[in-house]
Structure formats: C-alpha cells, structure tokens
Amino acid sequence: MEQTYTDWLDRLPLGPWGLTLVSAVIAMVAAWLVFQTGAAVLRRAVARSPSASLVTQSARRPAAHVLPLLALQFVLRAAPDDLSGIGLARQFTTIVLIAAVTWLVVRIVQSCGDAVILSRPIENISDNLMARRIQTQTKVVTRMVAGVVVLIGISLALMTIPDVRQIGTSLLASAGVAGIAAGLAARPVLGNLIAGLQIAFSQPIRLDDVVIVEGEWGRIEEITSTYVVVRIWDERRLIVPLQYWIEKPFQNWTRSSAQLLGTVFLWVDYRMPLQPIRDALKRVCEGSPLWDGRVCLVQVTDFSEKSMQLRCLVSTADSGKGWDLRCLVREELMSMMQKDYPEYLPRLRAEVDPPSDTAHRPPAPEQRSPTPGHEHAVAPADKA
C-alpha cells in the first residue's frame, strides 16, 4: 500500500517542489482532521468541568495551528536537502511553529489562571480574604510565567537564524560598556520583577484590598507585572509602580480583616449630660443594619476653653459601611441635640469686668453740686 502510494506520486507530472507541496498539503489536512476529532472528544470529556472547559476552549485556536504546522515541518525535514530553497522554507516554518507553540503555551497558562480565579470568586461574599489572596497570587504568577514563556519563545526563534545567533554571541563576548548600560537600563524591569514576586508570595496587597496610598482612599483594582491600579472612591484611577508597595509605607485596611472602628467627634458645652448622648448613639446603632454589634460607646477625649470633645466609637464589617454609619451617627446626634438640648451646643462665654473704684469715689468739694433747697443761698458778707 505504501509502495503503491509512492509510485502514484512519482507518476504525477510534478516539478522539484511538486511532490513536497502535495505531501505537505496532505499532511496538514490529515493533522487538521486529527485535531478536529481530538477536540470534539476532549470537549465532550470536559463538558461537566467549567475549569477544564475554559482551558480547552482557550487552547483550541492556537492548537488548530500547531498540529498542521508540525505536520508541515515533518514533511519539509523529509524533503531532499538539495531542493532549491528548502533551507529557507525549513527555517521559516520553524519560526512560525515556535511562535504557534509559544502562543499555545501562553494561552494554556492564562486559561489555567482564569480557571483558578473562576473557582474562587470574590463578589457577593462577606469573608473573601482567602479568595482575594489566591486571586492575587494567581494573576501575578500567571503574568510572570506568560512573560517568561514569550521570552523563551523569542529566544528560540532568534537562535534558529545563524546570523542573529552570531550577532548575539558577539554582543555577549564584547559586553563592556554596552553591557553595563543594558544592565542599568534593565534595573527597573528587574526591580519590578522581584517586587512582583514579593507581592505574589508575601502579599502586602491583594485584589480588592482597601488602601490609603499617597493620601487617597481606594481599592486595589488590578495588579500587573509593572504597576498596580487603585480605584479611588470618586472613580479616578491611581497608577502606582510595583516597587512603591515594597519600599514605601501605606495603609491596608483589609490586610487580615475588613472590620473597622469608626469615630465621630462632637464638641458640646460643659453642662451637656452624657447619658442622653450614649442612649441616642446606642439607639442609632441598634436601629441600623450597618452596625456589626461589636463596639458602640461615647468617651470624653478633650477639653478646651470653650467646650468639651466627645468621641463616638462605632464598629462595622467593612470600611464602606463604616463611612455610612459615621455619617448617620453625626446626623442623628446633631438632630437630637438641636431638638432636646439646644442650650448645650458649644457657645462662647464672656465675663464683663466689674466697674473700677474711681467710678464710686465722691467728687471733690469744689465740684460738688449745690445742696437741694440752697441753690440761691448768699453769704452774709454779700448783704453788706
């Protein structure tokens, strides 16, 4: 059967490249049919697993190119070496095959990361600390592995070109100043790479963490291989390099738990009784679903020459609820004071000094007023 097929090909009126091209087409079609059959069987086998289905679906497109290119490579390697242009064709198909394999591996790595993230959702879950930790590690490691795969693929493709390989060897042999400059230029890249590894495994930040960075309150929205995107409360985005999170201090409000204590400060008159404020605060907390039931108290924290400062301390399950509950406490306590104790709101006191002693001193004799009834009295000497 094999001899008959070869004799049939030999009898065809083909040129030097004709037999190779026909063989290449037949091999690529056969490889494509094998891929379609295998893809159908594999798709049915993983139909009940969302993670496996995601991986196979992502790898389907690059795999459809890899198998035909691999069959084409086998045909070209089996072709006669004296065929005109066969070396260039082999080199070209090798580079294309390396690119397709690199694409396939990158897609598999990315889809595996997506499958892990899919199995650990963070939306609509109250305690999603473990899920956020796994998602952060998965995304950072996935990007790094994909980058390494692309770098290896490019290196392998360049190594197939003799001239480029020789140029690379010469550059490595004569590193000198160029090597130092390249090292200095690559230092930020290496620094970000190391920072990415530290963030992935030590995890000072995770996805959806609430942080205070550069004086801004926001949530970690995305962690890339070079920077972190922080979604600020007013929908702005703050782009922060990876090295910043390793080298500089910042606040992480959800490092081990999302629970927080919130404070509300009030300035009231010294005569204000504290028990009504404590009762009002307790009533507000117990009537609000924002309060988590842990802390609700009032403390006197400061005195001034005009009033005293009260600190109302409340607890919530997360920072968003904490902000809303603090605003509610301010409104309710101020309304209560305005309604029931308006005279105890902060006021400015002033003390008027008593009159000086000179104001009560009797006038001098020459300045005394005439005695009533004697306004027209005349001395006896004036009568003479």
Side-chain angles (χ1 to χ4, degrees), residues 68-320:
L69 286 172
L70 189 61
L72 176 61
Q73 184 69 11
F74 284 148
V75 172
L76 293 178
R77 293 294 175 182
D81 294 336
D82 58 351
L83 194 62
S84 176
I86 189 63
L88 183 61
R90 290 172 178 172
Q91 184 175 342
F92 177 75
T93 55
T94 300
I95 294 176
V96 175
L97 178 61
I98 291 174
V101 172
T102 302
W103 182 22
L104 174 62
V105 176
V106 169
R107 291 295 296 165
I108 291 175
V109 170
Q110 291 177 343
S111 60
C112 288
D114 294 339
V116 173
I117 293 174
L118 182 64
S119 64
R120 296 284 185 171
I122 61 176
E123 291 81 9
N124 301 323
I125 298 177
S126 58
D127 188 7
N128 57 5
L129 180 61
M130 181 61 69
R132 290 190 289 113
R133 178 182 292 116
I134 293 176
Q135 284 201 15
T136 302
Q137 290 179 339
T138 301
K139 288 191 175 184
V140 174
V141 173
T142 298
R143 288 192 178 96
M144 293 182 61
V145 173
V148 171
V149 170
V150 171
L151 182 61
I152 294 175
I154 294 175
S155 301
L156 292 176
L158 293 177
M159 289 177 63
T160 61
I161 306 175
D163 295 337
V164 175
R165 184 169 62 245
Q166 292 175 1
I167 293 173
T169 305
S170 301
L171 288 176
L172 290 176
S174 59
V177 178
I180 296 175
L184 292 176
R187 189 173 64 177
V189 178
L190 296 177
N192 281 327
L193 180 63
I194 296 174
L197 287 174
Q198 289 179 297
I199 289 175
F201 293 102
S202 63
Q203 292 199 337
I205 56 173
R206 293 176 295 266
L207 291 173
D208 206 42
D209 267 347
V210 177
V211 296
I212 302 292
V213 56
E214 293 294 314
E216 298 285 358
W217 182 97
R219 293 180 179 271
I220 303 297
E221 183 177 52
E222 184 181 2
I223 301 177
T224 69
S225 57
T226 56
Y227 59 86
V228 175
V229 180
V230 181
R231 185 180 73 250
I232 303 175
W233 66 273
D234 57 0
E235 302 299 329
R236 290 178 294 151
R237 300 298 189 273
L238 183 64
I239 309 300
V240 186
L242 281 179
Q243 288 181 284
Y244 180 96
W245 306 95
I246 303 300
E247 299 175 353
K248 296 185 179 181
F250 61 93
Q251 296 183 36
N252 189 337
W253 288 11
T254 54
R255 180 66 181 88
S256 57
S257 173
Q259 295 178 341
L260 286 177
L261 297 180
T263 56
V264 175
F265 290 97
L266 297 178
W267 289 95
V268 298
D269 190 76
Y270 282 106
R271 299 176 298 165
M272 176 67 196
L274 299 183
Q275 192 58 42
I277 295 182
R278 291 191 171 98
D279 295 339
L281 178 63
K282 184 177 181 181
R283 184 169 57 253
V284 172
C285 290
E286 291 178 348
S288 174
L290 302 173
W291 185 50
D292 63 357
R294 292 186 298 122
V295 179
C296 175
L297 57 89
V298 176
Q299 297 173 322
V300 180
T301 55
D302 197 6
F303 287 140
S304 73
E305 68 278 7
K306 300 177 182 178
S307 57
M308 63 177 175
Q309 185 188 67
L310 305 180
R311 183 179 70 176
C312 303
L313 199 62
V314 294
S315 61
T316 54
D318 56 58
S319 58

Side-chain angles (χ1 to χ4, degrees), residues 367-381:
Q367 295 178 350
R368 290 181 182 177
S369 300
T371 303
H374 299 279
E375 292 84 355
H376 302 285
V378 181

Side-chain angles (χ1 to χ4, degrees), residues 264 266 276-284 298 312 328-339 345:
V264 175
L266 297 178
I277 295 182
R278 291 191 171 98
D279 295 339
L281 178 63
K282 184 177 181 181
R283 184 169 57 253
V284 172
V298 176
C312 303
L328 178 64
V329 168
R330 290 190 189 98
E331 295 174 4
E332 295 296 330
L333 293 186
M334 185 53 59
S335 298
M336 183 272 295
M337 290 195 63
Q338 290 175 345
K339 179 181 179 182
L345 292 173

